[in-house]
Amino acid sequence: MKKIVFLLLTCLLAVMSMGKPAAAYPAYAQMAYETPREATGKIVCANCHLNQLPTQVEIPQSVTPGQVFDVVVKIPYDHSKLQVTGDGSKGGLNVGSVVVLPEGFRLASEEEMTEAQREEVAETYVAAYSDEKPNILVVGPISGDEHPEIVFPIKAPDPAEDPSVAFMKYYVYVGANRGRGQINPNGSLSNNNLFRSPVTGTVEEILVLADPATDLPPEWVDKVDIGDGYPDTRLITFSTEKGLAAMVIPPGPELVVAVGDSVKEGSPLTNNPNVGGFGQADREIVLQSPDRVKWLIAFLAAVFVAQVMLVLKKKQVELIQAAEVLG
């Protein structure tokens, strides 16, 4: 059974990887990491989405057992900007989010949600990170223009039903990205990146490959990697003191060098097309006992009544003293 599941997942990833790289990122993260939050506190999305941008989170200060509440993740960015897609064309930014809840908290079931919450979850495809970790939820990539914020309807646990849960303060960790990543799951650079010269020398030639699989010059076939092989991939050759060298640049980033330019190792060959980024935030939430709330209300009511009685008693004493003086 496990072998069949593994084969199905492998086929799924293979099919997904044939499309735009961004579409496969959540699946790769879930397959590669047992948990999305590292021991350092960093959420693993930051390993591929290198630019840092803000993330905003709205969450109740306290909840009671069995309560269904919303965790709202807001992902601000300039919606007029377009990102480079896998084939080099421009498109709107995708967004995604990871919410790491305390153990015992989970995504509310359809029966526990309101109609509005059910529609929101259906549109954003909120899912558990894994069967073993229902307290970790993921979304994305989805359209950022249609979803500037993502709502996660959450069901609070009940300590009476789950002994591992206690009435106390917990932390919720949230990460959100907009745009595509700069690092592919295999560690290579995506086309949403700035490319630098691998050598010091002179730009000898710039070839635009309509079909990299067939247009790549024979002398470079076994020496360079054409990547995904999208049309308009560029092959740049350099003349150096040690001879000719070459580098493949996928479509998307704009070249900032021309034939005859002198370059140094590490100097930019393209602009940086990345307009997205990742951000994370931590929030506190208290699982509050209803009995404690009731006793607090009773205590405050008793204090209020006692204060009123003291004021009335003081007025009564003042009236008696005034009568004795007049008498």
Side-chain angles (χ1 to χ4, degrees):
M1 184 63 183
K2 291 183 177 179
K3 291 183 177 180
I4 295 176
V5 172
F6 177 77
L7 288 173
L8 289 174
L9 287 173
T10 303
C11 293
L12 176 62
L13 290 176
V15 172
M16 294 176 72
S17 64
M18 293 174 65
K20 296 177 182 180
Y25 284 178
Y28 276 116
Q30 288 170 265
M31 292 286 288
Y33 299 96
E34 182 179 352
T35 176
R37 185 172 180 269
E38 298 179 342
T40 59
K42 181 178 70 173
I43 293 178
V44 297
C45 303
N47 293 334
C48 293
H49 299 267
L50 305 182
N51 194 25
Q52 187 173 0
L53 289 176
T55 294
Q56 302 168 356
V57 184
E58 293 181 359
I59 189 171
Q61 184 178 11
S62 64
V63 294
T64 54
Q67 178 180 345
V68 176
F69 62 96
D70 287 340
V71 173
V72 182
V73 181
K74 297 184 178 181
I75 313 173
Y77 69 92
D78 185 352
H79 287 254
S80 66
K81 293 184 177 180
L82 299 177
Q83 70 175 353
V84 171
T85 61
D87 61 6
S89 61
K90 295 293 185 69
L93 274 68
N94 295 326
V95 298
S97 180
V98 175
V99 175
V100 182
L101 299 162
E103 292 190 7
F105 289 73
R106 60 171 175 81
L107 180 69
S109 64
E110 290 190 8
E111 294 75 16
E112 295 165 339
M113 296 182 195
T114 64
E115 183 62 30
Q117 289 173 329
R118 281 193 289 271
E119 291 178 1
E120 184 72 30
V121 170
E123 291 179 358
T124 55
Y125 310 103
V126 179
Y129 191 79
S130 66
D131 292 338
E132 295 76 19
K133 296 188 180 297
N135 61 307
I136 302 177
L137 305 175
V138 295
V139 166
I142 56 177
S143 170
D145 291 331
E146 297 177 7
H147 302 283
E149 63 180 43
I150 302 174
V151 179
F152 296 82
I154 307 300
K155 175 71 174 291
D158 189 346
E161 300 176 358
D162 186 354
S164 65
V165 178
F167 293 111
M168 59 179 293
K169 179 172 67 177
Y170 294 95
Y171 285 92
V172 176
Y173 306 98
V174 177
N177 67 275
R178 65 237 71 184
R180 296 175 56 239
Q182 287 73 62
I183 307 296
N184 289 316
N186 62 5
S188 63
L189 296 180
S190 73
N191 67 330
N192 187 33
N193 222 312
L194 181 150
F195 288 80
R196 299 180 181 276
S197 174
V199 296
T200 297
T202 302
V203 177
E204 184 77 12
E205 188 178 18
I206 299 177
L207 295 178
V208 179
L209 310 177
D211 183 359
T214 58
D215 295 347
L216 186 68
E219 63 269 25
W220 298 111
V221 170
D222 297 326
K223 297 180 180 179
V224 296
D225 180 7
I226 62 172
D228 294 315
Y230 285 114
D232 296 330
T233 295
R234 283 74 55 90
L235 175 71
I236 301 181
T237 58
F238 309 89
S239 59
T240 71
E241 294 180 353
K242 298 180 180 180
L244 288 178
M247 180 180 185
V248 171
I249 297 180
E254 298 176 3
L255 295 178
V256 296
V257 295
V259 174
D261 287 352
S262 296
V263 295
K264 293 183 178 180
E265 183 177 355
S267 61
L269 299 177
T270 70
N271 69 333
N272 187 352
N274 180 37
V275 294
F278 174 78
Q280 66 181 76
D282 303 342
R283 293 291 184 271
E284 296 179 353
I285 188 169
V286 177
L287 182 59
Q288 188 68 263
S289 169
D291 292 335
R292 293 178 183 176
V293 176
K294 293 175 183 177
W295 281 111
L296 176 61
I297 294 174
F299 172 74
L300 294 176
V303 171
F304 175 77
V305 171
Q307 291 292 331
V308 171
M309 294 301 293
L310 286 172
V311 171
L312 294 176
K313 184 64 176 178
K314 182 180 179 182
K315 291 293 185 182
Q316 184 181 22
V317 171
E318 289 176 350
L319 290 174
I320 293 174
Q321 289 175 342
E324 289 178 349
V325 169
L326 292 175

